[in-house]
Amino acid sequence: MAVEIRQVSSSADMRKFVKFNLKLYKGNRYYVPGLIDDELRTLDAKKNPAFKFCEAAYFLAYRDGEIVGRIAGIINNKANETWNQNNARFGFVDFINDDEVVDALFGAVIDWAKRRGKEMLQGPMGFTDLDHQGMLVEGFDQLGTMATIYNYAYYPKQMERMGFVKDQDWREYKIFVPAQMPEKHMRISEIVRKKYGLKILKFKSQKEVLPYAHRIFETLNQAYAPLYGFSELSREQIDYYVKVYIPMIRLDFVTVIVRKEDDKVVAFAITMPNLSRGLQKAGGSLLPFGWAHLYKELNFRGNKVVDLYLIGVIPEYQNKGVNALLFDDLIPIFHRNGVEYAESNPELETNTAVQMQWNYFEREHHKTRRSYIKRI
């Protein structure tokens, strides 16, 4: 039977859109589902402040009354202005391995983008750099993370069949926690601290971290500005992310570096216990018992992995050893919690400065993900 494409037009349709991948990946040992309510909030134009400068449309593919694929079309007008582009994005894409289904899904987004005068389609990408992006092209036998997309090995083959080409790659590493801090690393850390008059801030309560929360995201804006596809987070977006993410973090896993002279944030690291196994058991929901599975992972009950979620250094302090100061603080904390390795999460292959920071550690490149592009 022919494939039917329906645009999402109701809250019931949206819930089907969000839950489709739970069915598609049921029983897959490497797939890590997000939380349904989080994704619904991200896709909701009334709740996500990115819609101040983005527009989107969502499509479901049906065959014989069953959903067999989903895709979002996104236009980030701020990113297009920043990078002098006229692009649309695709994201939140999942599908069965069927040429007709894939062609119909991408055809719907291409038609939607053409009607808006767009010239290129790139992705998978989200509304902002903090959404999931990059299709997995290597590492299909590796457990996913909360911050990344997992997809079947046939996805990139379908992209190539349709004529999409590589636009950008991200690399991911397992970074093994050393038994003790490398001596050279410790020396660099101490030199940097004294030379630039820096100090490390740690927090014991959300009340203590909140005065720095907005400054952390402002630092992120500066640090990430040159990176692929990035568009500066607005004040409304920062408010949104502070409200959503600050209650989730483990404060001892957050490190902020400031200048002593004026308390200016020059670098930060937000790391978290890896929640992959807990999210798999939660199955997309905190209720009735999903929260208990996540709580177990947050407190390292059987968990030996940490995620390097967000790390940023403002441009004037990059390549000066400030990262050594961050890990000089974090590695003893990892030791106390029995962490064996960290998931780097995606790093642009062109961002050699970030990858050089791991030269002092044993590491394993275990995943690669890709953004594709095609003229439409």
Side-chain angles (χ1 to χ4, degrees):
M1 189 173 177
V3 176
E4 178 188 1
I5 297 294
R6 302 179 195 171
Q7 186 167 348
V8 171
S9 59
S10 68
S11 58
D13 287 344
M14 186 66 83
R15 189 163 284 273
K16 292 176 184 176
F17 182 93
V18 169
K19 295 179 73 173
F20 167 68
N21 54 351
L22 296 176
K23 176 183 177 182
L24 183 66
Y25 291 96
K26 185 177 181 179
N28 185 291
R29 59 190 288 195
Y30 306 114
Y31 170 71
V32 175
L35 294 174
I36 293 168
D37 287 345
D38 283 353
E39 190 160 311
L40 286 170
R41 184 168 52 241
T42 297
L43 299 172
D44 191 335
K46 295 179 180 178
K47 296 180 180 179
N48 186 345
F51 279 90
K52 292 276 181 70
F53 51 86
C54 291
E55 56 182 302
Y58 314 114
F59 302 93
L60 287 167
Y62 286 81
R63 178 182 278 155
D64 297 330
E66 294 289 326
I67 297 174
V68 289
R70 69 172 191 170
I71 195 169
I74 299 168
I75 297 171
N76 184 324
N77 293 302
K78 185 188 287 188
N80 278 336
E81 182 179 348
T82 299
W83 297 96
N84 193 28
Q85 296 172 337
N86 189 26
N87 296 352
R89 301 174 171 188
F90 69 89
F92 303 92
V93 59
D94 288 291
F95 44 78
I96 64 170
N97 192 17
D98 184 289
D99 293 359
E100 187 180 8
V101 170
V102 176
D103 289 344
L105 281 170
F106 278 86
V109 169
I110 288 170
D111 288 345
W112 175 83
K114 281 183 173 180
R115 291 196 301 271
R116 283 150 182 81
K118 301 307 163 191
E119 299 172 352
M120 309 285 282
L121 183 63
Q122 63 182 154
M125 300 177 73
F127 298 96
T128 76
D129 207 52
L130 297 186
D131 293 326
H132 292 173
Q133 55 187 358
M135 183 176 288
L136 195 66
V137 295
E138 295 176 354
F140 303 105
D141 60 348
Q142 298 292 320
L143 182 65
T145 68
M146 180 176 68
T148 60
I149 298 167
Y150 181 84
N151 53 265
Y152 288 119
Y154 62 77
Y155 278 43
K157 295 176 182 177
Q158 286 287 356
M159 300 305 299
E160 293 165 7
R161 179 189 65 81
M162 290 186 292
F164 282 85
V165 297
K166 172 185 171 180
D167 194 23
Q168 186 65 254
D169 273 6
W170 292 264
R171 297 165 70 89
E172 295 179 49
Y173 298 92
K174 287 181 180 178
I175 303 158
F176 296 92
V177 178
Q180 59 185 16
M181 283 290 294
E183 186 178 343
K184 186 175 181 179
H185 205 278
M186 293 174 65
R187 288 202 309 270
I188 292 172
S189 176
E190 190 59 27
I191 290 169
V192 168
R193 188 199 309 263
K194 292 178 179 178
K195 182 176 180 179
Y196 299 109
L198 304 177
K199 66 177 180 180
I200 293 172
L201 296 184
K202 302 298 287 187
F203 308 99
K204 295 181 179 179
S205 69
Q206 287 187 29
K207 185 177 180 180
E208 288 183 5
V209 77
L210 282 174
Y212 290 91
H214 283 79
R215 285 189 266 171
I216 289 171
F217 281 99
E218 289 161 4
T219 300
L220 182 148
N221 270 340
Q222 296 178 57
Y224 285 35
L227 301 183
Y228 172 82
F230 184 75
S231 59
E232 183 178 284
L233 299 178
S234 66
R235 178 73 186 193
E236 291 85 355
Q237 285 178 285
I238 292 175
D239 289 341
Y240 172 79
Y241 287 123
V242 168
K243 182 178 180 181
V244 170
Y245 291 118
I246 293 300
M248 294 174 54
I249 62 176
R250 259 192 63 161
L251 293 174
D252 54 335
F253 279 66
V254 175
T255 301
V256 175
I257 298 176
V258 299
R259 286 196 306 227
K260 292 180 180 179
E261 61 181 282
D262 57 7
D263 210 35
K264 178 180 175 62
V265 175
V266 302
F268 71 91
I270 298 176
T271 66
M272 290 184 64
N274 181 276
L275 300 181
S276 296
R277 295 300 184 193
L279 286 166
Q280 285 181 326
K281 293 174 182 176
S285 178
L286 291 176
L287 298 174
F289 303 115
W291 64 270
H293 297 302
L294 297 185
Y295 181 83
K296 179 180 177 181
E297 302 301 324
L298 280 168
N299 289 279
F300 289 100
R301 296 177 184 173
N303 184 7
K304 298 182 182 296
V305 185
V306 69
D307 278 2
L308 308 183
Y309 198 60
L310 287 173
I311 298 175
V313 181
I314 62 174
E316 63 189 282
Y317 284 88
Q318 291 175 5
N319 302 315
K320 293 183 177 178
V322 175
N323 292 75
L325 201 54
L326 290 170
F327 288 102
D328 190 38
D329 175 69
L330 286 168
I331 286 176
I333 296 170
F334 296 164
H335 283 158
R336 288 198 294 272
N337 287 277
V339 175
E340 294 181 354
Y341 70 88
E343 286 274 1
S344 73
N345 285 304
E347 300 176 347
L348 286 166
E349 66 175 354
T350 54
N351 194 349
T352 54
V354 168
Q355 291 170 41
M356 283 175 60
Q357 72 183 330
W358 311 130
N359 288 346
Y360 300 105
F361 305 102
E362 179 187 354
R363 63 177 175 174
E364 174 190 338
H365 172 215
H366 65 314
K367 300 175 198 170
T368 303
R369 56 189 64 252
R370 178 165 297 164
S371 176
Y372 291 89
I373 195 163
K374 179 181 178 179
R375 182 167 294 279
I376 57 176

Coordinates of all heavy atoms in Angstrom, one line a residue, residues 254-300:
V254 N 29.8 20.1 38.7 CA 29.8 21.3 38.0 C 31.1 22.1 38.5 O 31.2 22.3 39.7 CB 28.6 22.2 38.2 CG1 28.7 23.5 37.5 CG2 27.4 21.4 37.6
T255 N 31.9 22.6 37.5 CA 33.0 23.4 37.9 C 33.0 24.7 37.1 O 32.8 24.7 35.9 CB 34.3 22.7 37.5 OG1 34.4 21.4 38.2 CG2 35.6 23.5 37.9
V256 N 33.1 25.8 37.8 CA 33.2 27.1 37.1 C 34.5 27.8 37.5 O 34.9 27.8 38.7 CB 32.0 28.0 37.6 CG1 32.1 29.4 37.0 CG2 30.6 27.4 37.2
I257 N 35.1 28.4 36.5 CA 36.4 29.2 36.8 C 36.1 30.6 36.5 O 35.6 31.0 35.5 CB 37.5 28.6 35.8 CG1 37.8 27.2 36.1 CG2 38.7 29.5 36.0 CD1 38.8 26.5 35.2
V258 N 36.5 31.4 37.5 CA 36.3 32.9 37.4 C 37.7 33.6 37.6 O 38.6 33.0 38.2 CB 35.3 33.4 38.4 CG1 33.9 32.8 38.2 CG2 35.8 33.2 39.8
R259 N 37.7 34.9 37.1 CA 38.9 35.7 37.5 C 38.7 36.2 38.9 O 37.6 36.7 39.2 CB 39.0 36.9 36.5 CG 39.5 36.5 35.1 CD 39.9 37.7 34.3 NE 38.9 38.7 34.2 CZ 38.6 39.3 33.0 NH1 39.2 39.0 31.9 NH2 37.6 40.3 33.0
K260 N 39.7 36.2 39.7 CA 39.7 36.7 41.0 C 39.3 38.2 41.1 O 38.6 38.7 41.9 CB 41.0 36.5 41.8 CG 41.3 35.0 42.1 CD 42.6 34.9 42.8 CE 42.9 33.4 43.1 NZ 44.2 33.3 43.8
E261 N 39.9 39.0 40.1 CA 39.8 40.4 40.2 C 38.4 40.9 40.0 O 38.0 41.9 40.6 CB 40.7 41.0 39.1 CG 40.3 40.6 37.7 CD 41.3 41.3 36.7 OE1 41.1 42.5 36.4 OE2 42.1 40.6 36.1
D262 N 37.5 40.2 39.2 CA 36.2 40.8 38.9 C 35.1 39.7 38.8 O 33.9 40.0 38.5 CB 36.2 41.5 37.6 CG 36.7 40.7 36.4 OD1 36.9 39.5 36.6 OD2 36.8 41.2 35.3
D263 N 35.4 38.5 39.2 CA 34.5 37.4 39.3 C 33.9 37.0 37.9 O 32.8 36.4 37.8 CB 33.3 37.7 40.2 CG 32.7 36.5 40.9 OD1 33.5 35.5 41.2 OD2 31.5 36.4 41.1
K264 N 34.6 37.4 36.8 CA 34.1 37.1 35.5 C 34.3 35.6 35.2 O 35.3 35.0 35.4 CB 34.9 37.9 34.4 CG 34.5 37.6 33.0 CD 35.3 38.4 32.0 CE 35.0 38.0 30.5 NZ 33.6 38.2 30.2
V265 N 33.2 34.9 34.7 CA 33.3 33.5 34.3 C 34.1 33.4 33.0 O 33.7 34.0 32.0 CB 31.9 32.9 34.1 CG1 32.0 31.5 33.6 CG2 31.1 32.9 35.4
V266 N 35.2 32.6 33.1 CA 36.0 32.4 31.9 C 35.9 31.0 31.4 O 36.3 30.8 30.2 CB 37.5 32.8 32.2 CG1 37.6 34.2 32.6 CG2 38.1 31.9 33.2
A267 N 35.4 30.1 32.2 CA 35.3 28.7 31.7 C 34.4 28.0 32.7 O 34.1 28.4 33.8 CB 36.7 28.0 31.7
F268 N 33.8 26.9 32.1 CA 32.9 26.1 32.9 C 32.9 24.6 32.4 O 33.2 24.4 31.2 CB 31.5 26.6 32.9 CG 30.8 26.5 31.6 CD1 30.0 25.3 31.3 CD2 30.9 27.4 30.6 CE1 29.4 25.2 30.1 CE2 30.3 27.3 29.4 CZ 29.5 26.1 29.1
A269 N 32.5 23.7 33.2 CA 32.3 22.3 32.8 C 31.1 21.8 33.5 O 31.0 21.9 34.8 CB 33.5 21.5 33.1
I270 N 30.1 21.4 32.8 CA 28.9 20.7 33.3 C 29.0 19.2 32.9 O 28.9 18.9 31.8 CB 27.6 21.3 32.8 CG1 27.5 22.8 33.2 CG2 26.4 20.6 33.3 CD1 26.3 23.6 32.7
T271 N 29.3 18.4 33.9 CA 29.4 17.0 33.7 C 28.3 16.3 34.5 O 27.8 16.9 35.5 CB 30.7 16.4 34.1 OG1 30.9 16.6 35.5 CG2 31.9 17.2 33.4
M272 N 27.9 15.1 34.1 CA 26.8 14.4 34.8 C 27.1 12.9 34.8 O 27.7 12.4 33.8 CB 25.5 14.7 34.1 CG 24.9 16.1 34.2 SD 23.3 16.2 33.4 CE 22.3 15.1 34.4
P273 N 26.6 12.2 35.8 CA 26.6 10.8 35.8 C 25.9 10.3 34.5 O 24.8 10.9 34.2 CB 25.9 10.4 37.0 CG 26.1 11.5 38.0 CD 26.1 12.7 37.1
N274 N 26.4 9.4 33.8 CA 25.7 8.9 32.6 C 24.4 8.2 33.0 O 24.3 7.3 33.8 CB 26.6 7.8 31.9 CG 26.1 7.3 30.7 OD1 25.3 6.4 30.7 ND2 26.5 7.9 29.5
L275 N 23.3 8.7 32.3 CA 22.0 8.2 32.6 C 21.4 7.2 31.6 O 20.2 6.9 31.7 CB 21.0 9.5 32.7 CG 21.4 10.5 33.7 CD1 20.4 11.7 33.6 CD2 21.4 10.0 35.1
S276 N 22.3 6.7 30.7 CA 21.8 5.9 29.6 C 21.0 4.7 30.1 O 19.9 4.4 29.6 CB 22.9 5.4 28.8 OG 23.6 6.5 28.1
R277 N 21.5 3.9 31.0 CA 20.8 2.7 31.5 C 19.5 3.1 32.2 O 18.5 2.4 32.0 CB 21.7 1.9 32.4 CG 23.0 1.3 31.7 CD 22.6 0.4 30.6 NE 23.8 -0.2 30.0 CZ 23.9 -0.9 28.9 NH1 22.7 -1.0 28.2 NH2 25.0 -1.4 28.4
G278 N 19.6 4.2 33.0 CA 18.4 4.6 33.7 C 17.3 5.0 32.7 O 16.1 4.8 32.9
L279 N 17.7 5.8 31.6 CA 16.7 6.2 30.6 C 16.1 5.0 29.9 O 14.9 5.0 29.5 CB 17.4 7.2 29.7 CG 17.6 8.6 30.2 CD1 18.6 9.4 29.3 CD2 16.4 9.4 30.4
Q280 N 16.9 4.0 29.6 CA 16.4 2.8 29.0 C 15.3 2.2 29.8 O 14.2 1.8 29.3 CB 17.5 1.8 28.7 CG 18.4 2.2 27.5 CD 19.5 1.2 27.3 OE1 20.0 0.5 28.2 NE2 19.9 1.0 26.0
K281 N 15.6 2.1 31.1 CA 14.6 1.5 32.0 C 13.4 2.3 32.2 O 12.3 1.8 32.4 CB 15.3 1.2 33.4 CG 16.3 0.1 33.3 CD 17.1 -0.1 34.6 CE 18.2 -1.1 34.5 NZ 18.9 -1.3 35.8
A282 N 13.5 3.6 32.2 CA 12.4 4.6 32.3 C 11.5 4.5 31.1 O 10.3 4.8 31.3 CB 12.9 6.0 32.6
G283 N 12.0 4.2 30.0 CA 11.2 4.1 28.8 C 10.5 5.4 28.3 O 9.4 5.3 27.8
G284 N 11.1 6.5 28.6 CA 10.6 7.8 28.2 C 9.7 8.5 29.2 O 9.3 9.6 28.9
S285 N 9.6 8.0 30.4 CA 8.7 8.6 31.3 C 9.3 8.5 32.7 O 9.9 7.5 33.1 CB 7.3 8.0 31.3 OG 6.5 8.5 32.3
L286 N 9.1 9.6 33.5 CA 9.5 9.6 34.9 C 8.5 8.9 35.8 O 8.9 8.5 36.9 CB 9.6 11.1 35.4 CG 10.8 11.9 34.8 CD1 10.8 13.3 35.3 CD2 12.2 11.2 35.1
L287 N 7.3 8.6 35.3 CA 6.3 8.0 36.2 C 5.9 6.7 35.5 O 5.9 6.5 34.3 CB 5.1 8.9 36.3 CG 5.3 10.3 36.9 CD1 4.0 11.1 36.8 CD2 5.7 10.1 38.4
P288 N 5.6 5.6 36.4 CA 5.5 5.7 37.8 C 6.9 5.6 38.5 O 7.1 6.0 39.6 CB 4.6 4.6 38.2 CG 4.8 3.6 37.1 CD 5.0 4.4 35.9
F289 N 7.8 4.8 37.8 CA 9.1 4.5 38.5 C 10.3 5.0 37.7 O 11.4 4.7 38.1 CB 9.2 3.0 38.7 CG 8.0 2.4 39.5 CD1 7.1 1.6 39.0 CD2 7.8 2.8 40.8 CE1 6.1 1.1 39.7 CE2 6.8 2.4 41.6 CZ 5.9 1.5 41.0
G290 N 10.1 5.7 36.6 CA 11.3 6.1 35.9 C 12.2 7.0 36.7 O 13.5 6.9 36.5
W291 N 11.7 7.8 37.5 CA 12.5 8.7 38.4 C 13.5 7.9 39.2 O 14.6 8.3 39.5 CB 11.7 9.6 39.3 CG 10.9 8.8 40.3 CD1 9.6 8.3 40.1 CD2 11.3 8.4 41.6 NE1 9.2 7.6 41.2 CE2 10.2 7.7 42.1 CE3 12.4 8.6 42.3 CZ2 10.3 7.2 43.4 CZ3 12.5 8.1 43.6 CH2 11.4 7.4 44.1
A292 N 13.1 6.7 39.7 CA 13.9 5.9 40.6 C 15.1 5.3 39.8 O 16.2 5.2 40.4 CB 13.1 4.7 41.2
H293 N 14.9 5.0 38.5 CA 16.0 4.5 37.7 C 17.0 5.6 37.5 O 18.2 5.3 37.5 CB 15.5 3.9 36.4 CG 14.5 2.8 36.5 ND1 14.9 1.6 37.1 CD2 13.3 2.6 36.1 CE1 13.9 0.7 37.1 NE2 12.9 1.3 36.5
L294 N 16.6 6.8 37.2 CA 17.5 7.9 37.0 C 18.2 8.3 38.3 O 19.4 8.6 38.3 CB 16.7 9.1 36.5 CG 16.1 8.9 35.1 CD1 15.5 10.2 34.6 CD2 17.1 8.4 34.1
Y295 N 17.5 8.2 39.4 CA 18.1 8.5 40.7 C 19.2 7.6 41.0 O 20.3 8.0 41.5 CB 17.0 8.4 41.8 CG 17.6 8.8 43.2 CD1 17.7 10.1 43.6 CD2 18.0 7.7 44.1 CE1 18.2 10.4 44.9 CE2 18.4 8.0 45.3 CZ 18.5 9.4 45.8 OH 19.0 9.6 47.0
K296 N 19.0 6.3 40.7 CA 20.1 5.3 40.9 C 21.3 5.6 40.1 O 22.5 5.5 40.6 CB 19.5 3.9 40.5 CG 20.5 2.8 40.7 CD 19.9 1.5 40.3 CE 21.0 0.3 40.4 NZ 20.4 -1.0 39.9
E297 N 21.2 6.0 38.8 CA 22.3 6.3 38.0 C 23.0 7.6 38.5 O 24.2 7.7 38.5 CB 21.9 6.5 36.5 CG 21.2 5.3 35.9 CD 22.1 4.0 36.0 OE1 23.3 4.1 35.8 OE2 21.6 2.9 36.2
L298 N 22.2 8.6 38.9 CA 22.8 9.9 39.4 C 23.7 9.7 40.6 O 24.6 10.4 40.8 CB 21.7 10.8 39.7 CG 21.0 11.6 38.5 CD1 19.7 12.3 39.0 CD2 22.0 12.6 37.9
N299 N 23.4 8.6 41.3 CA 24.2 8.4 42.6 C 25.1 7.2 42.4 O 25.6 6.6 43.4 CB 23.2 8.1 43.7 CG 22.5 9.4 44.1 OD1 23.0 10.2 44.9 ND2 21.3 9.6 43.7
F300 N 25.4 6.8 41.2 CA 26.5 5.9 40.8 C 26.3 4.5 41.5 O 27.2 3.9 42.0 CB 27.9 6.4 41.2 CG 28.3 7.5 40.2 CD1 28.2 8.8 40.6 CD2 28.8 7.2 39.0 CE1 28.6 9.9 39.7 CE2 29.2 8.2 38.1 CZ 29.1 9.5 38.5

